Amino acid sequence: MEEPEKLVCDGIARGYVPPEVLSISPRLRLYSSSSATEVDPITYEVIRNTLLNINLEHGQTIQKLSISPITMIVRDFQCAILTEVGDVMCLGPYLLYLGNMLALITKWILENRSDEPGIQDGDVFLCNDPYVGTSHQQDTGLTSPVFWEGELFCWVANSVHYSDVGGPVPGSFCLASEDIRQDPPCFPPMKLAEAGKLRVDVEQLFLRQSRLPSTVDMDLHAAIAGLNLARERIIKLIQRYGPEIVKAVIDEVMDAGERAVVEKLQMIPDGRWSERVYTEVSVPGDRGIYVSQINIVKEGEYLYVDNEGTSPQVGAINNTYAGLAGGVLAPLTIMLGYDLAGTSGGLYRRVKFRPVFGTITCADFPAPISTAGVYNMPMVVATATGAVAKMIACADSPLREKAIGMADVHAYGGWIFNGINQHGQFFVGMSAGMATGALPASPVRDGVDTGGLFWVPGMEASNVEENEMAWPVLTLYRRENAAGAAGAGKFRSGLGAEEAWILHGTEQMDVHVYMDESFVKNQGMMGGNPGGRAFFKVKRSTDVNQMLANGSIPQNYDELKGEEEKTFFKGPPIVLKRGDIWCTNLPNFAGFGDPLRRDPELVAKDLADGKLTVHEAQIVYGLVLATDGSVDVDGTSAYRESRYLKRLGTIAKSPLKSSS
Amino acid sequence: MERQQVLIGDNLRLARVEGAIYFICACGQTLGSGDENFKDYCLVEESATASIGAGYKASDQGMADQVCFREFFCPSCGLRQATEIARVGDPYLSDIQPRL
Amino acid sequence: MGYYIGLDGGGTFTDCVAMDSDGQIRFAKAPTTTENFSDGMFDALTALAEEWGITLSDLITSTERFSLGTTVGTNLLVERKGARTGLLTTAGHGDAILMMRGSGRITGLDPELYYHPQATDKPEPLVPKNLIREVNERVDCEGEVVVPLNMQEVEDAVRSLVEDQGVEAIAVSFLWSFRRPDHELEAMRIINRIAPNVYVSCSHKVAPRMGEYERTVATVINSYVAQKTAIYFAGAAERLKEAGFNHPLLVMQVTGGILPVKAALEVPLTSLGSGPVGGLMGSAALANQLGHSNVIATDMGGTSFEVGLIVDGEPLVSDENVVSQYRYKQLQLQTTSIACGGGSVAYLAPYSRSIRVGPQSAGANPGPVCYRRGGTEPTVTDADVVLGLISADTFLGGKMPLDRDAAVRAMENLGRQVGLSAEEAAAGILKINNAKAAELIRQQTVIRGYDPRDFMLFAYGGAGPLHAFAYASELGVKGVVIPLGNGASTLSAYGSASSNLVRFFEKEQLFRYPFPLEELNGLINKLEAEAHGALTEMGRAPEDISLERFAQMRYSGQWLHSLLRKLPGGVYGQAEMGQIVDEFKATYDALYGSGAGRVSQGVELFSVRIRATAYLRRPEQAFHIKKESRIDEAARLGHRTIVWPDDIEKVSSEVFDGRYLRFGNRVTGPAVVELPHTSVAVGKGQTLSCDVLGNMVLDL
């Protein structure tokens, strides 16, 4: 850390940053395209469509055969087809930030494994090392070369969240870790399968770390089945059309994606856009506040991204370069690459990173990384989303309409817990209920209530019944949030959701990760309100069981009698007991524009739909109702005018200034 | 084609006025020149994040006190041009710097 | 003479088929009448009587059996014209149907849209928030009551829905009701008592499956369409009765069987979308007679391409469906569709100098450019016209002359932008469209562990027979059947005419290996007794009833995956249980790779399903026995130049009028066989022959 600029980005001392041209052993023969190959426009489309379908089928296989709700329901995984040198050709509609990580792992393998032990047909490499290219150790990547006649043609790869990969804490999110050696183990790329044969020694090495070896093994085999399917189908495609043609299509898909992005970049003025998101607490007990900042410079037809302004790496709140790059590319995929159907490789070419190392969003070894999946990664995506959205909101129409405000900052997944379930089995749960998500506001329309998380496009919440079958809990209620101040704006955010729970069928349960923000982290867009504060509330020794016995299911956490537990962000583990009730939420996300500019009829509609109270309609939106309950148009204008005047009259100019 | 102006959202723009470049509010008020942070030309209100509305207040007051909610208003029309959740004392984020 | 009639209505046309007691078949169709369905139905029946050369009255009075399939329920839903429906649900869970598990914004949409949030939104709610009422009651995952049903709250909620909100139907969906239905049943009694005219359905009855969202959607849709579906069936039955038909009207079900109206209306949802299922059942009936046990049934129409599989003589069954972005639980024959049909629009792909086809469709309005209805974007049908696969003059029997020149101009315009001639562009469009069709089939077969080469492919629908020559070759299937030849466009009606009475009885209950055998045997016994009773009640003799057992099995924890296993009969002991589990594991490994299922991971059997079938007697379909090798001159329409898409070569190809082809005739490609409602293309090196049942068989 003394002279970090002397460290090399080798995936060991600091996060791996691949060079423009990889250093690959001459022992490995690559299939390279001949620029002379012409593909007719029809064959091109047939092959393009097939490749996208192969990748989707790869994803569907993982989804179907895996058994962790986090994978099969929440879609916390990704799969991709990559070129022979490890560039992403296409990724699936799953966790978007994982896409580029598959490229990093693959490129690292090409540079570091092509000589010894060599890369052969039928190999599958496993890697969960964040310094090589994962978001955290749980998101373990598998990547497998596809060979054609002895030459490396392309790669297929996936990353799946495995429920427990070891380390001191069930679920492997180690909040108290201050060094990666207190984290779950990191495995740099090693062969899980060699020349088509599963290496049981490596499989067992990986499973041996886990508290849930059987679950992890099922998921691992789901991932292998996905890879095998994709590899076999690509081979069939090559057999049918010939390697030159398929290769030419892969190259052209990337070029076409790049042209699409360039055209959009031309609609954006040059300039610099930034976002800053604050987080708190580096390890339990710490009282610090830390900054994540992303700056995007758009110059001509390229984007240059840095994280200057970000706090130095600290405690257990770090991610590596892989997380930074992936987190920035995710919102770009949605706001600049929305018409590419996941063929994001061309987009990636236009984004250049100038990371500041040794920071919480681009940490050097041996910073621990295991918690990044729930803290840093959503934070980096959110920070990048803010910067990208502001840039897009400055673009020409229709691109400017694609801007989307900041979504989830820290609450992803809600909470992680473990215990013995009602069937007598040990379990580790990650609550997927909050995966209802919400689409944030944009410059032209409201977000979508419980409309999913845009950077995990296929994401889904589990049913309450599925949760209650798997875990010893009873959900008292699960409902959409109110519209209120959180996420208010000229266009408001979609609404998130809230859930209240009690234990059922067990006496106690441990919660290791929960989200109770001391302050809201989300940032509003262009004068809009920020999103809401994510919370995790616990009330002890309540009368809930008495109420249930009396025939009434509590519907309001706040009205229940009991002792409120004082919770903290990244607080110590909580032991939940019978009679406790706890409440989790995914808050509304960012609003766009001054709420006083909101169309009064839209405010009235939320009122009519029961999503907003009359009081909040007045306070937040300056709405005045006539005696018959309809919108008083003149009254609203006049009242809003008075609110503007009040702002002007009472606010003194602040002495603070921006930094130069 | 030479850009004459940049629309920033729907109530702010960057435009040339008599050869110089300014941020301009929808009401016509200039908010500094193009190489400055328009927020420096706004009226700024800083308040506790808990004041934003229901649900923003946390149990850990000591932590919450370290940050604030900033609102940036056009000094002419009172329109809210920007908001920030920021650590108390941190400079305003210069976050929108398009060029003409 | 007695007739057995099948009718399928609700789409553009109302199609009908009749078989007489000698096993002869005739088809007819008439435009569907949307305001009063029975009118179109009787237009079609009148046309059918003409085909037989008898009066309508003679046809109806001598009809022995009448089965009806329909898309009316789906139309009600898509157009949001169902009943004003309220929802009664467990306290705390009224938002489930609004939240749509967070994925309602994209469910059922083209995956390309997943990356484009600003192009997606949630659908209009089926039940708005103000019609949802929560009541205190709670059951847990074991089926134990946590909070008893508060009957006063039910009463208040129902009064408010009915009296204040004027709902016409109510759906009752409580958590875990499929484990313990008592609360739903009690709520239904209360509703029936205080609002006897309001239609009620309960989730444990409509969709007794885990997952409150999908179960609730099924129940709400059921209530939403129930009354209008009943009116529609009653109207049809009434008109038939007036015309002299004196048997119970039978209704096609998505489960692949038919039921008397009364039984069908127990769960009206099962009549929803029975059209595609009718086609699949028609294919199954024909395949059975032809001795094909494995069939890929493909229906290509104007906007969509639909695929169903028949394996070992049985259509596959699925448990989920999606309508208007709402996913729901429903036991039905599996069909999968993509937007890919005659109306699919071809356009220039941005940024890559290539052509894309669909998913946008020109539909019927404006339709393809050649339809002369103002369409400007070239479609698959335009490509067919440009290439000569469709003749501009003889389309739909010459009733609708097409504008070939306009199609050529549109194609030239598109082709020019990528350096292709009009013919090359048209051929390319077909190739892309066919590749998409083949890709869907490949997914549906290979992903389930089936090899398309073991299958016959059935091609029907307006555009299926014309394009099957190409998409079937792509897959290497054994051969192609154009079912019923000219009757291919009425296959759904044929399917409802040839179906049997089928009902499923199912219970979702989790059994972890080793299964508690007494409980499992008890459940099977109970369901089988129920099944037997229900069919006996419909007046079926015990010897006509067959019961089959199935179980859904998975590895512990797999919520999205299961294998449907057919179970042996008899009482299960340790040996049978071991065999059931071993076979499950073996099948799993065969599908997903050796060792994919881990021994250490427990196996679960989570639902038991009984299929009860009562076989209906019907005449054997008459075989054409006289083999004619000589083709009737009336069938020979001469030659026309067709550009075949594979090599884009102009070839003089013979054209036939399919109505005059007979059993034993063989047509060698390149050729086109024209029929009043569709055409069959016979590619180079392929031959088409007519079989004993009137099917056309394409050898690839």
Side-chain angles (χ1 to χ4, degrees):
Chain A
M1 288 277 297
E2 282 171 9
E3 290 180 304
E5 65 275 13
K6 286 196 178 161
L7 297 175
V8 286
C9 302
D10 56 359
I12 295 170
R14 75 173 17 161
Y16 173 60
V17 181
E20 285 289 326
V21 178
L22 303 182
S23 154
I24 301 172
S25 165
R27 286 181 55 201
L28 180 68
R29 288 163 55 212
L30 301 182
Y31 186 95
S32 300
S33 49
S34 79
S35 54
T37 310
E38 284 260 339
V39 187
D40 72 82
I42 305 305
T43 307
Y44 170 81
E45 172 57 13
V46 168
I47 295 175
R48 184 196 74 98
N49 191 53
T50 307
L51 286 168
L52 294 188
N53 271 296
I54 290 172
N55 198 49
L56 279 177
E57 226 175 284
H58 180 173
Q60 284 157 3
T61 303
I62 295 173
Q63 195 178 312
K64 260 190 342 182
L65 301 186
S66 60
I67 62 172
S68 316
I70 193 72
T71 303
M72 65 179 164
I73 308 279
V74 190
R75 320 287 195 249
D76 187 351
F77 71 94
Q78 186 54 275
C79 54
I81 298 174
L82 308 108
T83 65
E84 77 282 7
V85 291
D87 288 319
V88 170
M89 177 236 167
C90 68
L91 47 80
Y94 313 107
L95 186 51
L96 294 179
Y97 65 63
L98 296 173
N100 188 59
M101 299 185 190
L102 298 172
L104 294 178
I105 295 170
T106 305
K107 285 172 184 283
W108 192 93
I109 291 168
L110 281 162
E111 289 207 294
N112 295 279
R113 295 286 183 266
S114 54
D115 191 45
E116 267 314 318
I119 298 169
Q120 298 168 53
D121 198 356
D123 286 352
V124 174
F125 287 88
L126 177 150
C127 167
N128 78 339
D129 188 335
Y131 289 93
V132 171
T134 69
S135 47
H136 61 151
Q137 291 93 318
Q138 292 91 319
D139 289 341
T140 302
L142 300 185
T143 182
S144 177
V146 179
F147 276 83
W148 180 255
E149 293 179 344
E151 293 184 332
L152 175 57
F153 187 83
C154 67
W155 294 77
V156 289
N158 63 51
S159 172
V160 167
H161 183 113
Y162 295 92
S163 305
D164 186 297
V165 293
V169 183
S172 307
F173 292 85
C174 305
L175 268 62
S177 172
E178 297 194 62
D179 182 301
I180 197 152
R181 284 151 294 214
Q182 298 163 339
D183 253 6
C186 296
F187 298 111
M190 56 184 181
K191 288 192 187 184
L192 175 65
E194 192 158 21
K197 198 166 161 34
L198 186 75
R199 283 192 52 173
V200 291
D201 51 349
V202 175
E203 182 189 30
Q204 196 169 11
L205 172 69
F206 183 63
L207 299 179
R208 186 64 171 149
Q209 313 304 323
S210 176
R211 289 167 186 78
L212 298 163
S214 185
T215 304
V216 170
D217 205 11
M218 282 296 286
D219 289 353
L220 190 63
H221 279 267
I224 295 170
L227 282 183
N228 288 342
L229 177 139
R231 196 192 310 104
E232 283 162 22
R233 287 212 56 193
I234 291 173
I235 292 291
K236 285 213 171 100
L237 200 64
I238 299 173
Q239 284 167 346
R240 167 79 194 269
Y241 292 97
E244 311 80 18
I245 299 286
V246 177
K247 178 68 180 131
V249 171
I250 290 175
D251 291 346
E252 173 58 15
V253 165
M254 299 188 57
D255 292 347
E258 187 173 4
R259 285 194 290 274
V261 168
V262 166
E263 184 174 293
K264 290 176 185 67
L265 289 172
Q266 288 164 348
M267 300 168 82
I268 302 171
D270 285 355
R272 183 178 187 272
W273 291 266
S274 299
E275 186 56 276
R276 181 171 61 184
V277 166
Y278 292 86
T279 187
E280 54 179 313
V281 184
S282 62
V283 287
D286 171 47
R287 307 287 290 161
I289 303 268
Y290 305 91
V291 181
S292 159
Q293 185 166 331
I294 300 280
N295 314 296
I296 302 180
V297 171
K298 188 260 164 183
E299 192 77 61
E301 292 171 353
Y302 284 89
L303 297 176
Y304 302 89
V305 180
D306 69 69
N307 57 334
E308 201 178 323
T310 300
S311 301
Q313 64 190 62
V314 59
I317 54 165
N318 310 290
N319 60 267
T320 60
Y321 171 75
L324 175 69
V328 170
L329 291 170
L332 284 170
T333 299
I334 293 296
M335 288 188 251
L336 272 183
Y338 53 84
D339 55 356
L340 299 180
T343 58
S344 302
L347 165 66
Y348 290 10
R349 290 178 184 164
R350 292 284 160 169
V351 186
K352 306 291 174 195
F353 289 93
R354 298 161 167 173
V356 179
F357 286 91
T359 54
I360 60 171
T361 59
C362 195
D364 288 328
F365 194 83
I369 308 293
S370 68
T371 71
V374 285
Y375 295 114
N376 277 55
M377 286 314 305
M379 177 179 75
V380 173
V381 176
T383 316
T385 299
V388 173
K390 288 173 204 171
M391 175 179 78
I392 299 294
C394 291
D396 302 333
S397 201
L399 181 60
R400 59 193 286 111
E401 289 142 29
K402 308 297 179 188
I404 298 180
M406 193 179 288
D408 177 47
V409 180
H410 275 314
Y412 180 76
W415 52 294
I416 300 168
F417 47 101
N418 65 273
I420 305 295
N421 69 13
Q422 63 271 45
H423 317 298
Q425 300 159 327
F426 174 76
F427 74 96
V428 175
M430 288 188 70
S431 169
M434 291 299 108
T436 49
L439 200 62
S442 82
V444 286
R445 71 162 187 173
D446 282 352
V448 177
D449 298 345
T450 49
L453 200 52
F454 70 81
W455 43 273
V456 198
M459 181 174 184
E460 211 161 31
S462 52
N463 275 300
V464 165
E465 287 175 350
E466 289 157 350
N467 290 347
E468 293 185 0
M469 178 57 86
W471 308 321
V473 294
L474 206 69
T475 302
L476 299 177
Y477 58 84
R478 178 196 273 188
R479 60 179 64 207
E480 272 183 0
N481 295 336
K490 175 181 176 182
F491 293 106
R492 71 159 172 83
S493 166
L495 307 177
E498 174 174 325
E499 241 173 317
W501 317 66
I502 56 171
L503 290 181
H504 189 74
T506 194
E507 291 304 313
Q508 71 170 57
M509 191 165 87
D510 298 342
V511 184
H512 287 273
V513 176
Y514 50 92
M515 301 293 167
D516 195 60
E517 295 181 329
S518 303
F519 58 90
V520 55
K521 313 287 193 307
N522 187 290
Q523 302 279 10
M525 187 174 169
M526 304 277 174
N529 269 14
R533 183 183 67 92
F535 62 74
F536 184 93
K537 301 190 278 199
V538 184
K539 224 172 244 184
R540 303 288 195 182
S541 316
T542 66
D543 53 353
V544 60
N545 287 313
Q546 188 57 43
M547 287 181 74
L548 292 176
N550 291 340
S552 145
I553 304 170
Q555 292 299 307
N556 188 336
Y557 172 92
D558 295 326
E559 287 173 6
L560 265 176
K561 292 194 195 76
E563 305 156 28
E564 186 86 43
E565 173 97 1
K566 200 165 164 51
T567 46
F568 300 94
F569 195 69
K570 292 175 197 147
I574 292 177
V575 181
L576 295 168
K577 298 214 160 102
R578 262 184 108 71
D580 295 347
I581 168 171
W582 68 100
C583 187
T584 60
N585 85 330
L586 185 69
N588 306 344
F589 298 144
F592 173 89
D594 189 339
L596 292 184
R597 290 291 166 101
R598 184 167 175 77
D599 180 348
E601 291 301 333
L602 289 177
V603 184
K605 182 168 190 317
D606 277 343
L607 264 178
D609 290 345
K611 293 180 174 176
L612 189 64
T613 62
V614 174
H615 178 70
E616 300 236 43
Q618 188 191 0
I619 298 295
V620 178
Y621 289 110
L623 185 81
V624 177
L625 292 176
T627 44
D628 67 353
S630 66
V631 176
D632 177 348
V633 178
D634 294 340
T636 299
S637 298
Y639 178 60
R640 285 180 171 183
E641 203 49 49
S642 74
R643 293 270 297 265
Y644 294 129
L645 286 171
K646 192 170 166 217
R647 288 170 172 176
L648 297 176
T650 56
I651 301 160
K653 206 168 169 192
S654 162
L656 263 171
K657 283 271 184 178
S658 0
S659 56
S660 53
Chain B
M1 195 184 69
E2 190 76 353
R3 272 172 208 282
Q4 287 311 304
Q5 63 171 10
V6 175
L7 296 177
I8 302 164
D10 48 5
N11 281 308
L12 185 66
R13 66 199 160 99
L14 185 73
R16 262 179 245 277
V17 179
E18 293 165 3
I21 296 170
Y22 295 97
F23 285 98
I24 304 170
C25 177
C27 70
Q29 172 71 35
T30 57
L31 297 172
S33 69
D35 51 6
E36 294 177 291
N37 186 358
F38 71 88
K39 292 176 184 172
D40 292 336
Y41 293 82
C42 289
L43 295 177
V44 186
E45 177 156 36
E46 262 187 29
S47 49
T49 55
S51 73
I52 299 170
Y56 283 91
K57 190 169 164 43
S59 55
D60 193 343
Q61 193 57 46
M63 235 25 203
D65 286 345
Q66 295 188 55
V67 295
C68 63
F69 177 51
R70 291 178 183 152
E71 299 172 274
F72 300 87
F73 301 111
C74 168
S76 167
C77 69
L79 177 79
R80 193 167 81 184
Q81 285 286 8
T83 59
E84 278 185 3
I85 302 294
R87 179 163 47 192
V88 175
D90 273 4
Y92 305 155
L93 183 68
S94 181
D95 55 350
I96 300 179
Q97 295 290 347
R99 291 202 308 271
L100 265 178
Chain C
M1 185 62 72
Y3 296 96
Y4 297 81
I5 295 181
L7 185 135
D8 180 60
T12 316
F13 287 102
T14 296
D15 303 325
C16 56
V17 171
M19 185 190 280
D20 68 10
S21 10
D22 294 337
Q24 302 291 334
I25 299 188
R26 297 281 187 278
F27 328 100
K29 56 172 61 198
T32 294
T33 46
T34 41
E35 14 5 290
N36 188 350
F37 172 78
S38 305
D39 292 346
M41 168 168 142
F42 270 75
D43 293 344
L45 290 171
T46 306
L48 187 63
E50 274 170 32
E51 288 285 320
W52 286 102
I54 57 176
T55 66
L56 175 67
S57 167
D58 284 349
L59 175 70
I60 303 284
T61 49
S62 26
T63 292
E64 297 289 326
R65 193 180 299 138
F66 196 109
S67 3
L68 174 67
T70 172
T71 59
V72 162
T74 315
N75 298 350
L76 286 174
L77 193 67
V78 172
E79 295 163 15
R80 292 291 194 274
K81 288 183 177 163
R84 188 168 166 81
T85 302
L87 170 64
L88 208 58
T89 188
T90 304
H93 300 278
D95 281 2
I97 193 170
L98 302 171
M99 299 198 288
M100 301 180 76
R101 299 183 62 184
S103 59
R105 189 167 54 77
I106 52 165
T107 299
L109 301 186
D110 191 308
E112 299 205 0
L113 285 172
Y114 288 18
Y115 304 87
H116 195 171
Q118 302 298 30
T120 58
D121 207 345
K122 278 184 173 175
E124 261 312 285
L126 287 171
V127 181
K129 201 176 168 90
N130 62 346
L131 299 185
I132 299 173
R133 297 288 182 280
E134 298 180 359
V135 295
N136 275 297
E137 74 80 37
R138 191 64 148 93
V139 171
D140 71 11
C141 69
E142 306 291 349
E144 301 295 326
V145 174
V146 180
V147 173
L149 178 68
N150 186 322
M151 296 195 262
Q152 186 57 49
E153 284 179 7
V154 174
E155 191 164 336
D156 294 346
V158 172
R159 286 196 194 287
S160 124
L161 282 173
V162 175
E163 291 163 18
D164 305 340
Q165 296 290 345
V167 303
E168 304 152 291
I170 293 177
V172 184
S173 182
F174 294 152
L175 287 184
W176 295 109
S177 63
F178 66 101
R179 290 305 311 270
R180 177 185 285 264
D182 306 8
H183 289 177
E184 287 190 352
L185 289 168
E186 185 60 42
M188 182 163 77
R189 279 192 286 273
I190 295 171
I191 299 168
N192 286 337
R193 175 168 56 77
I194 60 178
N197 296 324
V198 165
Y199 182 87
V200 193
S201 50
C202 295
S203 79
H204 75 274
K205 172 91 178 163
V206 176
R209 303 303 302 268
M210 184 159 91
E212 72 276 5
Y213 170 66
E214 291 83 0
R215 192 170 71 246
T216 302
V217 170
T219 313
V220 164
I221 294 176
N222 189 64
S223 283
Y224 187 75
V225 301
Q227 287 145 316
K228 289 195 176 168
T229 306
I231 289 168
Y232 163 86
F233 290 155
E238 189 58 31
R239 282 285 295 271
L240 285 170
K241 197 174 167 193
E242 282 166 14
F245 178 66
N246 53 13
H247 298 281
L249 173 64
L250 299 167
V251 179
M252 188 74 209
Q253 305 287 292
V254 287
T255 50
I258 45 179
L259 287 178
V261 170
K262 181 165 169 282
L265 286 178
E266 283 179 27
V267 181
L269 183 67
T270 53
S271 309
L272 197 87
S274 56
V277 164
L280 196 49
M281 287 313 290
S283 301
L286 286 168
N288 184 33
Q289 296 176 69
L290 295 168
H292 300 309
S293 51
N294 294 330
V295 170
I296 300 164
T298 66
D299 179 350
M300 189 183 280
T303 56
S304 69
F305 179 67
E306 200 131 356
V307 174
L309 291 191
I310 297 162
V311 177
D312 295 332
E314 303 276 359
L316 298 187
V317 177
S318 79
D319 341 354
E320 269 189 1
N321 198 10
V322 174
V323 176
S324 296
Q325 293 171 241
Y326 280 95
R327 189 174 47 215
Y328 60 97
K329 291 281 183 190
Q330 156 98 317
L331 205 90
Q332 58 173 49
L333 298 194
Q334 162 97 45
T335 55
T336 311
S337 82
I338 53 168
C340 166
S344 292
V345 169
Y347 61 100
L348 186 73
Y351 316 113
S352 65
R353 221 181 136 267
S354 65
I355 289 175
R356 287 196 194 158
V357 182
Q360 302 85 343
S361 170
N365 257 317
V369 176
C370 62
Y371 277 18
R372 306 169 190 270
R373 289 179 191 152
T376 53
E377 295 176 290
T379 64
V380 169
T381 299
D382 291 310
D384 292 329
V385 171
V386 168
L387 297 176
L389 286 167
I390 290 178
S391 155
D393 306 325
T394 58
F395 185 65
L396 291 183
K399 287 177 192 156
M400 187 174 155
L402 302 176
D403 187 346
R404 181 171 187 276
D405 291 346
V408 170
R409 280 194 302 275
M411 210 60 72
E412 276 170 355
N413 186 31
L414 177 66
R416 192 181 310 121
Q417 301 175 69
V418 289
L420 297 179
S421 69
E423 280 87 8
E424 287 168 334
I429 289 169
L430 292 200
K431 277 192 200 167
I432 292 168
N433 205 52
N434 289 330
K436 282 191 169 181
E439 174 70 22
L440 178 67
I441 295 170
R442 215 208 50 75
Q443 282 176 5
Q444 293 301 306
T445 48
V446 177
I447 207 166
R448 293 192 173 88
Y450 304 123
D451 185 338
R453 287 173 296 190
D454 299 333
F455 284 73
M456 283 297 279
L457 186 143
F458 278 40
Y460 46 96
L466 189 62
H467 298 114
F469 80 98
Y471 66 74
S473 323
E474 187 89 7
L475 296 156
V477 292
K478 293 202 292 192
V480 177
V481 174
I482 315 299
L484 303 176
N486 189 32
S489 67
T490 57
L491 191 66
S492 289
Y494 176 84
S496 48
S498 53
S499 291
N500 293 302
L501 296 179
V502 176
R503 282 194 70 168
F504 280 95
F505 294 83
E506 178 168 37
K507 171 90 177 162
E508 178 160 329
Q509 188 173 335
L510 186 63
F511 296 95
R512 289 189 172 78
Y513 183 80
F515 312 139
L517 287 172
E518 202 173 321
E519 218 178 312
L520 178 60
N521 283 317
L523 175 61
I524 291 171
N525 265 336
K526 181 172 161 287
L527 288 172
E528 289 188 339
E530 206 181 321
H532 205 273
L535 264 63
T536 322
E537 205 175 290
M538 283 181 220
R540 311 323 302 180
E543 64 270 21
D544 289 340
I545 300 174
S546 120
L547 301 182
E548 294 155 289
R549 282 179 204 173
F550 301 88
Q552 281 181 292
M553 296 177 69
R554 65 188 175 201
Y555 279 102
S556 174
Q558 283 179 328
W559 297 348
L560 297 184
H561 177 270
S562 62
L563 293 178
L564 183 68
R565 307 294 302 157
K566 193 159 185 175
L567 298 185
V571 177
Y572 300 149
Q574 293 298 328
E576 288 81 4
M577 175 169 64
Q579 196 189 339
I580 290 170
V581 171
D582 287 348
E583 284 178 8
F584 163 79
K585 289 180 172 173
T587 309
Y588 190 95
D589 276 10
L591 277 172
Y592 305 116
S594 179
R598 307 313 285 171
V599 181
S600 52
Q601 189 68 20
V603 171
E604 295 175 351
L605 184 160
F606 68 99
S607 96
V608 174
R609 181 183 294 174
I610 306 298
R611 180 168 63 193
T613 307
Y615 292 97
L616 299 176
R617 299 201 171 89
R618 57 173 60 84
E620 287 286 314
Q621 193 169 334
F623 279 36
H624 301 281
I625 37 174
K626 196 165 154 243
K627 203 163 178 172
E628 294 260 7
S629 56
R630 203 184 64 84
I631 294 176
D632 192 327
E633 279 311 308
R636 296 190 185 272
L637 299 178
H639 286 72
R640 82 169 170 253
T641 304
I642 293 176
V643 181
W644 291 87
D646 273 345
D647 38 20
I648 318 182
E649 194 188 346
K650 287 185 183 169
V651 181
S652 170
S653 311
E654 192 167 4
V655 182
F656 297 88
D657 184 337
R659 290 174 302 171
Y660 301 104
L661 292 179
R662 297 283 174 266
F663 168 51
N665 285 177
R666 287 176 79 81
V667 167
T668 306
V672 169
V673 176
E674 294 184 345
L675 293 161
H677 300 293
T678 183
S679 293
V680 189
V682 186
K684 269 188 269 183
Q686 301 177 339
T687 56
L688 179 125
S689 53
C690 298
D691 77 0
V692 291
L693 292 172
N695 304 305
M696 292 180 177
V697 181
L698 195 58
D699 289 315
L700 303 171

